[in-house]
């Protein structure tokens, strides 16, 4: 996409360097989730019998979101 940029954070390093701020972020995200304001992006849901296909989809990077393996 022309003119787009992505700014990210290495979460483990951030938590190590800024533990108070990192915990405040976690609390806020948990609150949003509890309120239904934040939901994970799920690209694909696979049964456990399709574990190999799920892992291939996850590692391919082709999808936008998480690949979920549904347990019986």
């Amino acid at each position: 996409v022309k003119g787009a940029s992505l700014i990210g954070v290495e979460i483990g390093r951030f938590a190590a360097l800024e533990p108070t701020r990192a915990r405040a972020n976690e609390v806020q995200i948990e609150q949003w989730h509890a309120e239904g304001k934040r939901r994970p992006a799920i690209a694909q849901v696979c049964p456990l019998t399709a574990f190999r296909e799920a892992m291939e989809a996850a590692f391919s990077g082709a999808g936008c979101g998480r690949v979920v393996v549904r347990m019986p």
Side-chain angles (χ1 to χ4, degrees):
V1 175
K2 189 174 184 178
S5 65
L6 176 66
I7 299 173
V9 175
E10 187 180 326
I11 196 72
R13 185 167 168 82
F14 178 69
L17 296 174
E18 300 276 354
T20 303
R21 291 177 59 199
R23 181 63 191 139
N25 287 346
E26 290 174 14
V27 168
Q28 180 66 70
I29 291 169
E30 290 166 2
Q31 181 181 348
W32 287 337
H33 181 73
E35 295 170 355
K37 294 180 178 178
R38 183 79 180 129
R39 300 185 59 172
I42 299 175
Q44 185 176 346
V45 179
C46 298
L48 184 57
T49 56
F51 181 79
R52 180 181 300 275
E53 292 84 356
M55 291 300 100
E56 288 172 356
F59 289 118
S60 75
C64 184
R66 301 284 184 194
V67 176
V68 176
V69 176
R70 188 175 306 276
M71 304 300 282

